[in-house]
Every structure is written in C-alpha cells, then in structure tokens.
Amino acid sequence: MPKQNLIAAFLLSLSLSSNAARATDLEVLHWWTSGSEAEALGELKKMLKNKTDYQWKDFSVVGGGGQNALKVLKSRVLAGKMPAAVQLKGPAIQEWGKYLTRMDSIANEEKWTSMIPASVAGGMQVEGHWTAVPVNVHRVNWVWMHAGLFKKLGATMPQSIDELFALAERAQKEGIRPFAHGGEPWQDMTAFEEILLASQGPEFFQQFAQLKPEALQSDKLKHTFDWMRRYSDLLPKNRKGMSWDKASKEVIEGKALMQFMGDWAKGEITMAGKTPGVDVLCLAMPGSGQAFIYNVDSFAFFDTQSDVTKKGQLKLASLILSREFQEPFNKKKGSIPARVDLDMKGFDSCAQASMETFRKGTLLPSIAHHMALPSKQVTAIQDLVSEHLNSRMTSEEAMRKLKAAINASR
Ligand code: BGC
C-alpha cells in the first residue's frame, strides 16, 4: 500500500475509534435558568452522564413560565432542527403530538401506569400513546410570607382573602412592603388565578378555565378584577422586567412581606439555605386550602430516524421517572414527585402539605401555566390581565376587552 494511503487508513481508524468512544449528544430545550431550577436540573444532567453513554447538550431559553422557550421551539421545528428532548406540558403535548416519539414499550416495561397518578398520566398520552413523561407536580395557589416580618406585625394568620389584604394594607402603613412581584405578564397572570380562586371559589375557577360565556360575563369576574386593582395599588413601582426569582429573593431577605407564586419559589428558599415553613411560611391562598391548582412539568421527545437518539430518549425518560432522580430533583425544585410511591418523610413541611392536598383536594388545572387552555388563548388572557394590572383600566373595561381578546383567539 502506498505511504499516503497508509496514513489515510490510519487517520480513518483513529477517527472511527474516537467516534465510538464519544457519547452521543442529546439536545434538551428547557427554560429552567433560575438558580434553583438549574440546580435541580443538574441532577438529571449528572445522572445522564453517570448512568448512560449519552451526553447532555444544553439548550436553555431564559424566561420563567416558558413562553420564550416555546417560541424558540417553533422556529427550530420550522427550520427542521428539532431538539431530542423538550420541556413541554399541558395541551401543548397534544398540539405537538404527531411529531413526538411514542414511548409505549418502555412505559409497559416499567409499569408507568401504576406509578404515575391517573390525574397526571392522562395528559402525558396522545390518542392513548405515551408521548411525554412528568417530572413533578407544582402547586400554584401559594402565598410565601417572611416569618420574621409577619411576627413583627403581631398579626394572626389570615383566613380569607379579605384578611390577607387587610394584613397587606397594615404592613404598608407600618412601612413594610406588602408584596414582592416581578414585571413579566405571566407573573401577573399567576397572581390573577390565585386571586380568582381565593375570592370566587373552585367552581367559578373551573368555569373560567373552560371559558364559559356565563363566567366571562359574571359579577364574579368583575369582582376578581376589583381585587386585582386593590392588589396593583399595593405593588412596588420599580418592577419592570423583574424576574420571579428576584421577587422571591425580596421575601427571602425580608425586604417584602409576601409573594403570590407557585412552589418553584420554594426552590429558591431552600437554595438560600432557609427552611420553608419556618423562615418563609407557606400558606395556601386563604379560602383555597382544599383546592390545588396544579402545574405539571414534563418532557417530550421529537421523533427521529436515528435509532441511537431514540434509545437515548427512552433512557432519559426512564431516568426522569426513577426514584433516584425524583427525590433529589423535587426537593431542589420545590415541587412534589410525579410518582405515587415515594416516601415524603424527607421532604419539607410545605411539600408534605402539598402532597396531602394533591391526594385529597379539588384539582384545578393552572390557566397561567398552560394546563387548561391552548397557548394562544393563555396569551390573550394574560396580555389583558397584565394590561389591566399595569394601567388604570376599570374592571368593566377589562371584562369587555377580555371577551373580545378571547373571541379573537378561538
Ligand atoms: C414551570 C416551573 C418553573 C416556573 C418558572 C413554570 O411554568 O412549570 O417549573 O419553575 O414556570 O420558570
């Protein structure tokens, strides 16, 4: 063999052997970029590295609530560059269903149906096929309250939304900032659904979440906007563009008394070395104690021609559901596990209370966090709620505009 050919053959064999040794990339699109979110996700990255031949390729998109990530996902799909895995939830799983990898084989093998609660499992399937895996269950209707400031006020724990706002107004008078609240529309929408539930009850919440015409026209909706105005009058002025975790930090550091936020805020509390339920109190939005607005995070996988990638997708799905992952992840994330068979003893008291209500309470799908409606409709409602909160729009005008926006988004 001529010398040049020998060299070429040698180089080829080198590249083949290094390829064989190199792990295959699994690209994962997600929006978990706050301190606690990234730390929790780190558990999955670590497991993928230690337990498989695959390598995590991070594709993170900043923006709590995930709307930015979903926009990026659309443009990637249009460009034909689907990531191997994507954080996807609620009705979006159905919307993307036909592009997603079916996971029935591994689901049967690992008996997913017996370990995932039925209330969660339904949303993970498209036309009876497993197409997504749940990571956790978040509860949205929480109030996070700085224990020291609460004590300083010498107040009793509010039992109704009226008492909660009376406490907030008293704090304001005594020079304590009542609420931490950032400057993104999805945060406004989160507060809206908490206030709607606490002030008007679970039945009305359901009707609103289904966009029933009678709900959109009701006095109950007008009263909800009235409450939102009272809330906006108690908010700090300089919050434009502020992320949710910065707002949580204000409560953690005692710069503000309360935050209306789902229990991903608890992830930030734990990460700051504070004890949820002790240093920062978790109270179910008063008046909504038996109700549980759920927000289930999940991952789905884009169907691929590559058998190697497909194998990796199934491995990742299996890791996500494993006990070894579910426990440390959910402790860091602030949520409760998506499996029914995990011992909650090692979790903090807020997580234990959350699990108790999840098992026995009234489950309501989060509108703000894309569990109830297609994203187009969520955006229409959210934009209006945000416009109302950040202007002097009357409740009547908000109702008129909301109806028009919803009709336009159908
Ligand atoms: C997600 C949470 C996340 C939060 C803030 C929610 O929609 O479900 O997992 O922590 O947004 O980014």
Side-chain angles (χ1 to χ4, degrees):
M1 200 187 268
K3 199 172 159 202
Q4 268 136 322
N5 287 3
L6 265 178
I7 293 171
F10 175 63
L11 287 178
L12 179 69
S13 77
L14 264 189
S15 88
L16 283 179
S17 64
S18 69
N19 268 351
R22 222 184 60 207
T24 306
D25 281 345
L26 277 186
E27 191 182 31
V28 186
L29 171 56
H30 66 91
W31 68 86
W32 282 337
T33 53
S34 85
S36 65
E37 290 172 339
E39 210 176 89
L41 193 62
E43 293 291 331
L44 191 57
K45 294 183 186 174
K46 199 167 69 190
M47 282 184 84
L48 190 75
K49 182 163 179 246
N50 294 343
K51 299 200 169 220
T52 74
D53 300 333
Y54 291 85
Q55 186 167 291
W56 183 281
K57 190 171 170 211
D58 204 53
F59 184 1
S60 59
V61 179
V62 176
Q67 274 171 331
N68 295 348
L70 287 182
K71 273 189 207 143
V72 173
L73 174 67
K74 269 190 194 145
S75 61
R76 280 288 297 260
V77 173
L78 286 177
K81 287 185 182 167
M82 285 82 145
V86 57
Q87 197 182 342
L88 202 67
K89 56 180 175 164
I93 296 172
Q94 312 297 321
E95 286 166 31
W96 288 98
K98 62 173 183 272
Y99 303 106
L100 303 176
T101 299
R102 301 281 183 260
M103 292 180 290
D104 300 319
S105 55
I106 190 165
N108 290 336
E109 198 182 301
E110 296 186 351
K111 302 194 171 54
W112 288 3
T113 312
S114 64
M115 64 166 100
I116 301 172
S119 49
V120 172
M124 303 295 135
Q125 295 167 6
V126 176
E127 291 165 1
H129 299 287
W130 284 93
T131 16
V133 277
V135 195
N136 63 6
V137 180
H138 273 301
R139 186 184 193 191
V140 180
N141 49 318
W142 284 116
V143 183
W144 304 95
M145 192 179 308
H146 188 270
L149 291 179
F150 175 66
K151 206 164 154 210
K152 198 166 154 197
L153 283 163
T156 51
M157 201 43 94
Q159 301 300 319
S160 64
I161 187 166
D162 296 86
E163 288 183 17
L164 184 93
F165 272 77
L167 173 66
E169 280 153 1
R170 210 182 109 202
Q172 173 110 314
K173 275 199 198 104
E174 297 194 18
I176 294 172
R177 182 127 60 76
F179 291 112
H181 182 109
E184 297 164 312
W186 72 267
Q187 296 184 51
D188 302 340
M189 186 63 202
T190 302
F192 176 82
E193 75 177 9
E194 292 205 46
I195 287 176
L196 183 136
L197 173 64
S199 63
Q200 312 302 327
E203 213 172 296
F204 182 70
F205 186 99
Q206 278 289 19
Q207 287 172 7
F208 183 80
Q210 291 161 16
L211 304 181
K212 293 256 165 76
E214 59 274 26
L216 299 181
Q217 242 134 259
S218 62
D219 284 348
K220 286 186 184 260
L221 187 57
K222 182 193 169 292
H223 293 147
T224 307
F225 279 114
D226 295 345
W227 276 110
M228 287 299 281
R229 177 59 64 234
R230 197 163 159 194
Y231 178 57
S232 80
D233 288 342
L234 291 163
L235 294 185
K237 300 285 170 272
N238 59 341
R239 55 195 173 80
K240 206 164 175 235
M242 187 200 266
S243 63
W244 67 272
D245 51 314
K246 271 212 173 134
S248 300
K249 215 161 274 157
E250 293 190 341
V251 175
I252 296 168
E253 291 171 357
K255 294 185 179 139
L257 177 64
M258 294 181 265
Q259 183 185 21
F260 293 157
M261 189 51 67
D263 47 18
W264 43 96
K266 185 156 68 68
E268 296 295 314
I269 298 168
T270 310
M271 199 186 69
K274 307 281 181 198
T275 308
V278 177
D279 302 311
V280 180
L281 310 174
C282 51
L283 86 133
M285 191 74 181
S288 81
Q290 292 318 304
F292 189 112
I293 304 183
Y294 65 85
N295 169 23
V296 178
D297 286 309
S298 42
F299 280 89
F301 307 89
F302 275 96
D303 209 359
T304 163
Q305 301 289 326
S306 157
D307 286 344
V308 184
T309 305
K310 194 167 274 182
K311 217 167 134 202
Q313 293 176 326
L314 299 184
K315 280 205 171 153
L316 191 58
S318 167
L319 287 181
I320 286 175
L321 281 176
S322 67
R323 290 163 178 277
E324 293 80 2
F325 167 71
Q326 286 278 323
E327 189 168 332
F329 170 82
N330 282 298
K331 281 182 178 165
K332 288 184 172 168
K333 186 70 176 70
S335 36
I336 55 173
R339 291 176 65 129
V340 284
D341 56 351
L342 272 181
D343 192 349
M344 291 298 290
K345 267 200 208 106
F347 282 75
D348 59 66
S349 60
C350 306
Q352 290 173 359
S354 178
M355 184 58 103
E356 174 93 5
T357 316
F358 180 64
R359 286 192 177 135
K360 300 190 190 139
T362 308
L363 299 181
L364 302 166
S366 169
I367 310 162
H369 294 277
H370 303 256
M371 292 285 118
L373 295 167
S375 51
K376 222 171 129 194
Q377 291 184 333
V378 179
T379 307
I381 302 170
Q382 177 178 289
D383 286 352
L384 187 278
V385 162
S386 193
E387 193 188 338
H388 168 265
L389 189 80
N390 294 296
S391 69
R392 298 309 297 171
M393 190 190 286
T394 63
S395 300
E396 287 80 3
E397 196 183 345
M399 284 177 70
R400 266 198 312 277
K401 285 192 157 182
L402 181 64
K403 211 170 141 195
I406 288 172
N407 285 340
S409 72
R410 280 188 210 267

